[in-house]
Amino acid sequence: MITAIVFVKADVARIPEVAEAIAALDGISEVYSVTGQIDLIAMVRVAGHDDVARVVADQLNKVPGVQETETHIAFRTYSRHDLESAFSLGLD
């Protein structure tokens, strides 16, 4: 499983519509509206690198209102949830 984090600059007047359109794409697991120099962060979770290209280059970049993207591929995932599960004894 490949995880990619895509920073999206969007037309400010269309951010909610752009976010919803991106979220509806196959391979997008979630989209966050954020503060700072970018407008949205899209999480891509797909089987392989060719799928990242399909989602980002062929679909996400073509959503009306998307002005610019920057894609980052994750090497490893570190999360509190994963660590708690790994060390859980099953006791509540």
Side-chain angles (χ1 to χ4, degrees):
M1 175 70 62
I2 305 293
T3 299
I5 301 95
V6 184
F7 295 175
V8 180
K9 288 187 181 182
D11 177 354
V12 175
R14 301 179 68 188
I15 290 174
E17 295 85 2
V18 172
E20 288 178 13
I22 293 171
L25 298 174
D26 287 338
I28 302 290
S29 60
E30 57 257 295
V31 178
Y32 300 95
S33 176
V34 297
T35 61
Q37 301 208 359
I38 58 172
D39 302 303
L40 302 167
I41 295 177
M43 301 300 294
V44 178
R45 291 188 171 88
V46 292
H49 289 96
D50 289 340
D51 299 314
V52 173
R54 177 185 50 77
V55 172
V56 177
D58 297 342
Q59 297 176 29
L60 191 152
N61 281 337
K62 295 177 182 173
V63 168
V66 170
Q67 297 176 336
E68 186 178 324
T69 63
E70 181 178 321
T71 303
H72 302 264
I73 303 293
F75 292 127
R76 291 191 181 118
T77 301
Y78 300 93
S79 86
R80 172 181 243 175
H81 179 266
D82 293 339
L83 291 174
E84 288 174 356
S85 295
F87 292 103
S88 173
L89 296 176
L91 302 174
D92 289 329

